[in-house]
Amino acid sequence: MLRVEAQNPPMWLTLGAMLVAAGLALWLLLRPDLIGGLAMPLRLPAIALGMWALGAAFMQPLGLEFQRHWQRRATSPPFSLAALAVFTLLVVARALWLP
């Protein structure tokens, strides 16, 4: 049976994701209206996406990982980085859109 070893992402990518997540978390603490100002049908998916993106960005450097395959895959690159990118674009778009 052929086993494929998972490679860890480069250190700069992990550090960059964690710094972006920390910056977003601080920004949302200062401006909660970026997410709170959305209508409820849009707010709940945005909150779920933010929890996934920010949580996964902090889990990776700490060496935490889930036991189930689908959870481990959802919180590791490239899926976690894609979620972080989409959430970052959402927050930046809301910041540019709001006065």
Side-chain angles (χ1 to χ4, degrees):
M1 180 175 208
L2 179 65
R3 287 188 77 195
V4 177
E5 293 292 324
Q7 292 181 354
N8 290 333
M11 185 64 163
W12 62 268
L13 187 62
T14 304
L15 180 63
M18 193 168 74
L19 289 174
V20 168
L24 280 173
L26 288 173
W27 193 10
L28 288 172
L29 283 173
L30 296 173
R31 299 259 334 255
D33 60 321
L34 294 176
I35 299 295
L38 291 170
M40 188 59 74
L42 297 174
R43 188 182 320 161
L44 292 178
I47 290 171
L49 178 64
M51 287 181 357
W52 173 25
L54 299 180
F58 287 116
M59 278 180 63
Q60 195 73 21
L62 294 175
L64 302 173
E65 94 179 7
F66 286 107
Q67 296 297 323
R68 293 193 173 132
H69 175 69
W70 68 271
Q71 291 172 330
R72 189 171 51 248
R73 186 164 179 161
T75 57
S76 62
F79 296 111
S80 64
L81 294 176
L84 185 61
V86 169
F87 187 67
T88 302
L89 289 175
L90 172 76
V91 172
V92 168
R94 287 284 296 165
L96 293 175
W97 190 9
L98 292 178

